[in-house]
Amino acid sequence: MQYGYFDDEHCEYVITRPDTPLPWINYLGSEDYFGLISNTAGGYSFYRDARLRRITRYRYNNVPLDTGGRYLYVRDDHSGTFWSPTWQPVMTDLKNYTCRHGLGYTTIASEKEDIQTQVRYFVPLGQNLEIWDARCTNLRTTKAELSLFSSIEFCLWDAQDDATNFQRNYNIAEVEVEGSTIYHKTEYRERRNHFAFFSCSEPLTGFDTLRESFLGPYRGWNQPQVVAEGKSRNSEAHAWQPMGSHHVQFVLEPGETKRILFILGYHENPVDQKFTAPGSNIINKKSVYPIIQTWLNPNNVDHAFEKLRQRWSELLSIFQVDTPDLHVNRMVNIWNAYQCMVTFNLSRSASYFESGIGRGMGFRDSNQDLLGFMHMIPERGRQRLLDLAATQMENGGAYHQYQPLTKRGNNDIGSDFNDDPLWLVLAASAYLRETGDLSFLEEMVPYDNRPGSEKPLLDHLRRSIRYTLDRLGVHGLPLIGRADWNDCLNLNCFSDTPGQSFQTTTNREGKNAESVFIAGQFVLAAREMADMVELIGLSDEAEEYRSRAAAMMKTVENEGWDGQWFLRAYDDFGKPVGSKDCKEGKIFLEPQGMCVMAGIGLENGYAKSALDSLNRYCAGDHGIALLWPGFQQYYLHLGEISSYCAGYKENASVFCHANPWAMIAETKVGNGDRAFDYYLRICPSVREAISEIHRSEPYVYAQTIAGPESPDSGEAKNSWLTGSAAWNFVAITQYILGIRPELNGLRIQPVIPQHWEGFSAERVFRGVCFHIDVQRKGNGNTCVLFVDGKKIQGNIVPLPEEGVKSISVLVEIY
Ligand code: BGC
Ligand code: NOJ
């Protein structure tokens, strides 16, 4: 069953009924100003940091689920009836509801009582504001007397404080109304220089800025008293709960359309005027007038929307494919790339499943997000890498997260996730492979943002590698620390005290647990590191990394092999985790994927055997479960992983982030059929057909899909902000389609399914457009490449000489 359809031509997903199983959301903005918006106009906005600069308020875990947003009310002033053109919050039946989620914008349109309303929400490029572009059309044969009310609830900036510190917050809010603009200036008198403005293109019949006046006592957003009565109170909030509502009245002749613009923006006074009025609550509005004027002009709005569309078409054109599979084309060409942009921007901070309060930019997460983003805007990738590296500590370890506004490591979560540093190497390598920009390695970056501690980026990478080598356990495998990629596999948390949580290490300092996953990741990272330093002439150092990688590979084969698959780890007591001898959690996906991806076991048959075992025990209709069998009870020595019900999250769900590792691994052993089969099992577009089971958005990946041991197996959980975006993009484009940037050219080495006769692609790489045509000639995976008609050796197409902007590559697969 479906709730809409893909409109590939316009790069939109069109939702055709408002009551989707869960709110199906989209993101507005992709630089500094961001908004989340659901298919019924729920959601909120913030400037750069979802925790520290929250512009509008949102309540989590609410009832009904998605309450609060960018709401408009249409009122027939003749009959007194009113409704929400976005369905919520009034929820009256609508005729012809559609929500078009596009790339950076959402348009919701509906009809009710022969009044057609459409509102398009977007953030113009380079601006710190969002536009609500509303149009009402009278489809009646008589004239219509209408009111349009807007509404938002202001958040008092720090979302954490806003949600908890009521005794104070009920006494600080300040607004100001001037003409058609409502200014939200709470915090200003504390000498902060930011405020928000909410403006309308029309003269106002009235306004409200106090929530209680607008809603009326005991009422919710579904029945605001002001809307019901058709009369604003012109309330000005002094403390209590500030909000913004404009009231516009107009008469439409039959067939007539009225366009009304609203803008909601964030503003900081120019630095030189920063504290012009120290301690006062007089905001400097002058600097924002021109902005308001510009964006209430419909021509500028139209132009900005066109520019946004154009920008996305440029970004997407960097990598376009034409394959025999509709889903691949749609995901690679549009939605997967788009999701990679969103995860790049927001890491795991603000979604409908992450409050924006708890988590900032994840070190591990953001590094991996870069893998799917790098080709789009490598300059931004570079900056992100420098920010991440600046939160690294001198011992090579890293803060697990940092706040985007301050770019400082966030101590709430701490460090000691021993996989973290290696992701920096892999992401830096992705940047170098994409751009060839060697100067990057010399860029000076501090440790822990401490002035004076600057060292070249290369030094950071060296310390990342050293971090692992300095921390090897009794089997010679890397110590896991607090956890590796699997946050919830906490093997050093032994505690005898009943009820003691997984995070506490009380009567015994756990530290011995080792990770086979990190071992595989190390092999991968050390080899990429070797290639990087080789390129700048450090051959001895390169040799050192290669021999370390080879040694680690041997250690994994000797100590990390369970007979038919790779072990997951050794716990703090030296007992194997993820072994046939375990009662539960006998086999884990991560080490099978990561080790084979790193090339371990390709020669001695271990790789194939591990992948076959994974297929046998973990692969189901809805994807590959993270482990099998799921843990049925809580185990202190395993930690958080066993706190989940079996089939959910890290306890045996289909973890969509890790599934692509198995896809990539299958390409390493030449099994294109299986790699692609795995790809399709979790592909959102494929799962659109079972939306009643999948329940989450069919245009983006979710973090997990409930695993076979769950009663709601197949239900996707935690959509949007997940490493699934980047890794699925990498798996399909770089390994199955096989188009992968290398330091010395573009590798083209597809491992496609047998039934594909070929595909074509266009990839802009280092300023050159590669027109790629792949043709299957035999049943194997051996590729023969012809560049502009001339056969070349190997799979890497070198860059053409200066000035050549386009080349064509024919690939024959035998
Ligand atoms: C979640 C993990 C997540 C971690 C991040 C845990 O509660 O289960 O998926 O990685 O929190 O802190
Ligand atoms: C989600 C976290 O954001 C990510 O960092 C982690 O690797 C996975 N969960 C697995 O635990």
Side-chain angles (χ1 to χ4, degrees):
M1 179 188 172
Q2 296 184 195
Y3 294 80
Y5 60 92
F6 285 93
D7 178 347
D8 293 335
E9 198 193 322
H10 296 100
C11 301
E12 291 174 335
Y13 191 81
V14 187
I15 302 168
T16 48
R17 48 186 286 183
D19 57 340
T20 45
L22 292 166
W24 283 4
I25 75 158
N26 192 15
Y27 284 83
L28 310 176
S30 71
E31 291 150 327
D32 290 326
Y33 186 103
F34 295 100
L36 288 74
I37 184 162
S38 73
N39 56 311
T40 58
Y44 60 91
S45 303
F46 57 93
Y47 170 74
R48 283 180 61 188
D49 193 311
R51 173 169 169 178
L52 300 176
R53 284 285 192 283
R54 188 75 67 96
I55 297 166
T56 59
R57 186 177 279 164
Y58 194 77
R59 294 176 185 75
Y60 316 100
N61 240 333
N62 213 339
V63 180
L65 192 55
D66 181 29
T67 305
R70 302 172 180 83
Y71 295 145
L72 290 178
Y73 301 84
V74 179
R75 183 177 190 274
D76 183 325
D77 285 337
H78 188 67
S79 66
T81 55
F82 63 92
W83 64 92
S84 306
T86 56
W87 192 55
Q88 289 232 68
V90 181
M91 296 211 285
T92 44
D93 279 344
L94 297 169
K95 212 172 139 193
N96 301 336
Y97 159 95
T98 54
C99 166
R100 290 182 168 263
H101 282 319
L103 309 182
Y105 68 92
T106 287
T107 310
I108 306 178
S110 65
E111 193 185 315
K112 170 98 183 153
E113 297 189 4
D114 294 326
I115 302 295
Q116 167 79 33
T117 311
Q118 174 189 299
V119 48
R120 178 193 283 151
Y121 302 91
F122 77 103
V123 175
L125 293 172
Q127 300 300 315
N128 292 327
L129 55 88
E130 64 187 63
I131 291 173
W132 309 4
D133 183 352
R135 281 160 222 244
C136 283
T137 304
N138 181 8
L139 304 176
R140 301 174 185 170
T141 50
T142 53
K143 74 177 175 192
E145 292 163 38
L146 301 174
S147 276
L148 191 64
F149 293 87
S150 65
S151 72
I152 48 146
E153 199 179 358
F154 290 115
C155 181
L156 306 179
W157 301 112
D158 179 335
Q160 161 94 26
D161 192 64
D162 181 75
T164 48
N165 198 6
F166 313 122
Q167 59 79 26
R168 173 170 195 272
N169 292 336
Y170 279 153
N171 303 284
I172 62 173
E174 287 185 287
V175 299
E176 189 175 321
V177 184
E178 186 186 76
S180 295
T181 308
I182 296 166
Y183 296 91
H184 176 225
K185 52 188 198 171
T186 306
E187 280 201 346
Y188 204 80
R189 64 167 71 212
E190 294 171 58
R191 301 185 182 203
R192 314 212 187 177
N193 63 341
H194 56 264
F195 59 89
F197 55 93
F198 187 32
S199 192
C200 172
S201 58
E202 297 299 306
L204 302 185
T205 304
F207 62 85
D208 275 286
T209 68
L210 191 56
R211 196 180 75 207
E212 208 182 357
S213 302
F214 180 72
L215 296 181
Y218 299 99
R219 287 181 179 237
W221 297 103
N222 58 336
Q223 295 292 321
Q225 196 158 13
V226 157
V227 179
E229 293 173 5
K231 193 163 172 31
S232 293
R233 300 282 189 273
N234 294 350
S235 59
E236 289 199 44
H238 302 290
W240 300 103
Q241 303 104 343
M243 54 104 51
S245 170
H246 309 97
H247 178 194
V248 179
Q249 266 183 319
F250 51 98
V251 177
L252 287 183
E253 296 301 327
E256 192 187 346
T257 297
K258 173 128 188 115
R259 183 173 182 190
I260 301 174
L261 297 168
F262 299 91
I263 52 174
L264 172 64
Y266 172 87
H267 191 70
E268 282 178 9
N269 279 328
V271 177
D272 55 342
Q273 297 178 23
K274 208 163 167 180
F275 301 126
T276 42
S280 98
N281 64 349
I282 301 165
I283 53 173
N284 180 342
K285 285 178 297 197
K286 271 206 203 93
S287 58
V288 86
Y289 288 155
I291 300 175
I292 294 178
Q293 210 179 4
T294 304
W295 296 107
L296 290 179
N297 176 336
N299 293 333
N300 294 337
V301 171
D302 290 342
H303 186 61
F305 184 69
E306 261 330 296
K307 273 177 68 182
L308 177 68
R309 297 269 299 175
Q310 211 183 323
R311 176 71 179 139
W312 266 107
S313 106
E314 281 159 23
L315 286 174
L316 296 180
S317 70
I318 296 168
F319 204 145
Q320 287 287 300
V321 298
D322 184 7
T323 78
D325 193 289
L326 170 72
H327 303 291
V328 173
N329 299 346
R330 174 182 286 159
M331 292 309 296
V332 170
N333 295 343
I334 307 169
W335 290 99
N336 197 175
Y338 180 57
Q339 191 180 3
C340 286
M341 169 69 90
V342 174
T343 56
F344 166 79
N345 280 320
L346 297 173
S347 195
R348 306 296 169 268
S349 67
S351 73
Y352 266 34
F353 304 93
E354 279 120 345
S355 65
I357 291 175
R359 300 169 74 171
M361 309 297 284
F363 190 89
R364 170 201 296 142
D365 295 323
S366 291
N367 274 306
Q368 288 173 86
D369 293 342
L370 283 169
L371 305 178
F373 172 80
M374 206 55 94
H375 67 288
M376 279 194 273
I377 317 180
E379 310 76 53
R380 288 189 74 193
R382 186 185 209 269
Q383 186 53 51
R384 177 61 47 77
L385 277 164
L386 298 177
D387 292 346
L388 287 162
T391 66
Q392 197 179 20
M393 326 233 183
E394 252 148 10
N395 73 356
Y399 285 98
H400 199 50
Q401 289 170 17
Y402 71 83
Q403 276 315 122
L405 192 70
T406 60
K407 296 193 175 175
R408 294 290 156 132
N410 181 344
N411 241 338
D412 297 355
I413 317 277
S415 59
D416 295 335
F417 294 86
N418 282 355
D419 62 317
D420 271 345
L422 294 174
W423 294 116
L424 183 67
V425 177
L426 294 170
S429 150
Y431 173 74
L432 279 189
R433 284 187 281 105
E434 184 65 41
T435 61
D437 167 20
L438 294 177
S439 74
F440 178 60
L441 293 173
E442 287 156 30
E443 194 76 40
M444 298 297 277
V445 187
Y447 285 98
D448 196 4
N449 278 296
R450 229 171 5 82
S453 64
E454 289 79 7
K455 283 275 177 339
L457 185 92
L458 180 59
D459 189 65
H460 287 252
L461 303 182
R462 286 179 177 136
R463 292 191 201 194
S464 291
I465 297 279
R466 266 257 64 91
Y467 184 88
T468 305
L469 293 172
D470 286 347
R471 287 166 183 73
L472 300 177
V474 290
H475 296 89
L477 293 163
L479 293 175
I480 200 169
R482 199 160 135 186
D484 59 23
W485 172 86
N486 190 328
D487 276 320
C488 305
L489 190 62
N490 314 121
L491 302 178
N492 287 318
C493 54
F494 177 84
S495 161
D496 280 338
T497 320
Q500 195 102 62
S501 89
F502 53 88
Q503 274 153 342
T504 37
T505 311
T506 47
N507 52 348
R508 181 170 172 279
E509 178 78 1
K511 58 177 185 304
N512 301 315
E514 293 163 86
S515 165
V516 175
F517 173 83
I518 300 182
Q521 190 194 7
F522 176 83
V523 173
L524 196 64
R527 289 201 173 131
E528 296 207 13
M529 184 73 180
D531 293 345
M532 286 190 275
V533 297
E534 182 88 68
L535 202 65
I536 51 171
L538 303 176
S539 317
D540 289 351
E541 193 176 333
E543 213 25 67
E544 167 76 10
Y545 296 131
R546 289 201 182 102
S547 80
R548 295 289 190 164
M552 187 66 80
M553 185 147 140
K554 272 265 141 322
T555 308
V556 171
E557 289 176 356
N558 294 336
E559 308 289 340
W561 183 247
D562 192 53
Q564 285 179 299
W565 56 80
F566 293 103
L567 290 174
R568 179 63 178 85
Y570 286 98
D571 69 18
D572 194 24
F573 309 95
K575 290 226 200 65
V577 177
S579 154
K580 59 183 175 313
D581 299 328
C582 301
K583 188 167 121 246
E584 294 158 339
K586 289 172 185 289
I587 173 170
F588 282 65
L589 159 57
E590 306 100 295
Q592 323 313 324
M594 185 50 87
C595 291
V596 178
M597 204 155 79
I600 304 175
L602 289 179
E603 250 121 65
N604 62 6
Y606 283 8
K608 251 192 132 298
S609 162
L611 295 178
D612 287 345
S613 301
L614 187 67
N615 183 261
R616 185 166 327 121
Y617 298 112
C618 296
D621 293 347
H622 300 292
I624 310 167
L626 199 59
L627 59 93
W628 176 85
F631 299 106
Q632 299 297 333
Q633 64 169 86
Y634 185 64
Y635 296 101
L636 281 172
H637 68 291
L638 299 178
E640 186 181 355
I641 193 167
S642 55
S643 70
Y644 296 113
C645 308
Y648 299 97
K649 293 283 283 183
E650 279 82 347
N651 187 8
S653 77
V654 170
F655 223 98
C656 299
H657 178 152
N659 269 241
W661 298 338
M663 301 169 201
I664 297 171
E666 288 293 354
T667 67
K668 293 275 172 190
V669 299
N671 196 342
D673 277 341
R674 209 191 255 166
F676 190 60
D677 176 22
Y678 287 161
Y679 175 80
L680 293 179
R681 289 189 207 196
I682 64 166
C683 176
S685 164
V686 174
R687 300 177 64 78
E688 182 198 26
I690 52 161
S691 287
E692 77 286 5
I693 297 172
H694 186 75
R695 300 191 82 228
S696 295
E697 296 92 328
Y699 39 91
V700 290
Y701 286 93
Q703 183 192 48
T704 70
I705 297 173
E709 292 172 80
S710 141
D712 37 53
S713 168
E715 179 176 337
K717 310 264 184 181
N718 298 15
S719 58
W720 276 101
L721 299 186
T722 156
S724 317
W727 274 109
N728 277 284
F729 193 82
V730 169
I732 185 72
T733 60
Q734 299 191 9
Y735 292 93
I736 297 176
L737 303 179
I739 303 170
R740 177 174 167 85
E742 297 284 2
L743 293 170
N744 54 351
L746 190 64
R747 179 184 292 279
I748 309 180
Q749 193 172 1
V751 183
I752 53 176
Q754 286 297 330
H755 69 274
W756 278 20
E757 283 175 4
F759 68 91
S760 62
E762 290 201 353
R763 170 65 150 99
V764 180
F765 174 63
R766 301 199 200 169
V768 178
C769 185
F770 287 67
H771 303 270
I772 301 161
D773 181 23
V774 177
Q775 295 175 8
R776 187 178 271 300
K777 302 276 183 188
N779 297 329
N781 294 305
T782 310
C783 299
V784 182
L785 273 58
F786 301 84
V787 176
D788 288 332
K790 279 231 260 350
K791 186 168 164 180
I792 63 161
Q793 290 302 310
N795 292 91
I796 300 181
V797 183
L799 279 157
E801 54 195 68
E802 279 286 317
V804 179
K805 287 283 155 238
S806 154
I807 57 176
S808 62
V809 186
L810 170 67
V811 181
E812 293 179 348
I813 306 182
Y814 289 94

